């Protein structure tokens, strides 16, 4: 009886170890996403990984007590359900803004984290760890500016408010255009709205390399008193 109890406890601790290892891998993937201030960070990836591992363990070993000559179960059925279900979570992280699709990489990372959790739950530790490292490498380095990849362009929306003074000979529009050209920004769209209090609001959509610094606008604000507000 005592030996059976020890075997049972060792088996259960083995399952717990699989779940913990899945959580560690999920944490590593989520940490990279959180450092980039993405929607899904460490907490989400850890929960996804450990839940996927738990589901696989339940699918493989959770029905041993009911299996017999007349009861047969397919251990892959839960795995198929996990892959289908995670699609709802992943699709909720993808949305469109200014004609750009945002959240694809994070959604793919969540999907990959499910695979890592399933591998750990199945006892395929080497595959799970190596896949985790490959996912982190892909998120860190692929798609960034390098010798083998093109620079990644991002679209920003900049809001500028200024007061048009009659006596002023300064052309704010020309100053802004020159500033964008000199700093590597391509103007995509401009919206202009004049308020009743004499303030003109300009909303500019610009496209540039992800590392391009837009803070030259702050210098313009300090230089020209007509510019009263800059929002990046």
């Amino acid at each position: 009886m005592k030996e059976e109890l020890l075997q049972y406890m060792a088996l259960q601790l083995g399952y717990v170890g699989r779940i913990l290892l899945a959580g560690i891998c999920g944490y590593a993937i989520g940490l990279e996403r959180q450092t980039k201030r993405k929607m899904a960070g460490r907490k989400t990836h850890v929960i996804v990984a450990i839940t996927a591992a738990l589901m696989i363990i339940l699918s493989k070993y959770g029905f041993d007590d009911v299996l017999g000559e007349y009861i047969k179960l397919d251990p892959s059925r839960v795995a198929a359900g996990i892959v289908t279900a995670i699609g709802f979570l992943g699709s909720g992280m993808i949305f469109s803004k200014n004609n750009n699709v945002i959240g694809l990489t994070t959604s793919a990372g969540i999907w990959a984290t499910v695979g890592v959790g399933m591998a750990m739950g199945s006892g395929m530790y080497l595959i799970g760890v190596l896949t985790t490292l490959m996912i982190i490498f892909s998120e860190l380095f692929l798609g960034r500016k390098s010798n083998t990849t093109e620079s990644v362009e991002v679209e920003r929306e900049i809001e500028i408010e200024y007061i048009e003074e009659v006596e002023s000979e300064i052309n704010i529009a020309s100053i802004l255009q020159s500033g964008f050209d000199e700093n590597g920004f391509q103007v995509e769209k401009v919206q202009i709205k004049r308020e009743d209090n004499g303030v003109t609001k300009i909303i500019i959509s610009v496209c540039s390399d992800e590392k391009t610094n837009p803070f030259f606008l702050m210098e313009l604000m300090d230089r020209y008193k007509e510019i009263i507000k800059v929002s990046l």
Side-chain angles (χ1 to χ4, degrees):
M1 184 68 180
K2 186 176 180 180
E3 292 182 359
E4 292 180 357
L5 180 60
L6 290 175
Q7 291 179 355
Y8 174 79
M9 292 301 298
L11 188 62
Q12 296 300 311
L13 288 175
Y15 297 153
V16 172
R18 297 184 185 188
I19 295 175
L20 288 175
L21 190 55
I24 292 171
C25 291
Y27 181 91
I29 298 172
L31 181 62
E32 187 278 334
R33 292 283 85 191
Q34 186 160 318
T35 55
K36 295 181 181 177
R37 299 182 180 179
K38 301 300 181 180
M39 292 175 290
R42 294 172 296 179
K43 186 193 306 183
T44 302
H45 284 77
V46 168
I47 293 174
V48 167
I50 63 177
T51 304
L54 173 64
M55 295 297 181
I56 287 295
I57 292 172
L58 291 176
S59 181
K60 290 185 66 175
Y61 312 109
F63 306 98
D64 288 345
D65 57 333
V66 298
L67 293 178
E69 182 179 356
Y70 301 104
I71 300 178
K72 303 293 182 182
L73 298 176
D74 179 10
S76 67
R77 67 198 182 285
V78 175
I82 296 172
V83 175
T84 302
I86 198 62
F88 293 97
L89 179 60
S91 61
M93 299 177 184
I94 303 173
F95 61 95
S96 177
K97 181 180 180 181
N98 297 328
N99 297 322
N100 288 329
V101 178
I102 300 174
L104 280 175
T105 302
T106 302
S107 179
I110 287 291
W111 186 48
T113 302
V114 167
V116 170
M118 292 167 65
M120 293 301 179
S122 300
M124 306 175 73
Y125 307 119
L126 181 60
I127 291 178
V129 172
L130 291 179
T131 302
T132 300
L133 296 176
M134 287 188 283
I135 294 170
I136 296 174
F137 178 86
S138 300
E139 291 179 339
L140 282 174
F141 300 107
L142 297 185
R144 293 187 171 273
K145 190 173 182 180
S146 64
N147 295 329
T148 56
T149 59
E150 298 180 355
S151 60
V152 178
E153 289 194 345
V154 295
E155 187 170 334
R156 298 182 175 93
E157 191 171 86
I158 300 172
E159 184 176 310
I160 301 168
E161 293 184 9
Y162 69 94
I163 300 176
E164 291 183 296
E165 297 183 359
V166 178
E167 299 178 356
S168 177
E169 297 180 357
I170 298 174
N171 189 326
I172 298 295
S174 298
I175 293 172
L176 291 174
Q177 183 63 57
S178 299
F180 286 129
D181 292 341
E182 292 174 2
N183 289 274
F185 290 88
Q186 181 179 351
V187 178
E188 301 288 339
K189 184 173 62 175
V190 178
Q191 300 179 42
I192 301 176
K193 182 179 180 181
R194 286 188 171 88
E195 306 288 346
D196 295 335
N197 57 1
V199 175
T200 300
K201 181 183 294 185
I202 303 179
I203 301 176
I204 307 173
S205 296
V206 296
C207 189
S208 67
D209 183 88
E210 63 177 349
K211 295 183 179 179
T212 304
N213 192 337
F215 290 102
F216 75 94
L217 292 169
M218 302 303 181
E219 299 177 3
L220 293 180
M221 186 175 178
D222 292 337
R223 189 182 307 171
Y224 301 104
K225 63 180 181 179
E226 290 86 356
I227 302 176
I228 59 175
K229 181 181 178 181
V230 175
S231 300
L232 303 176

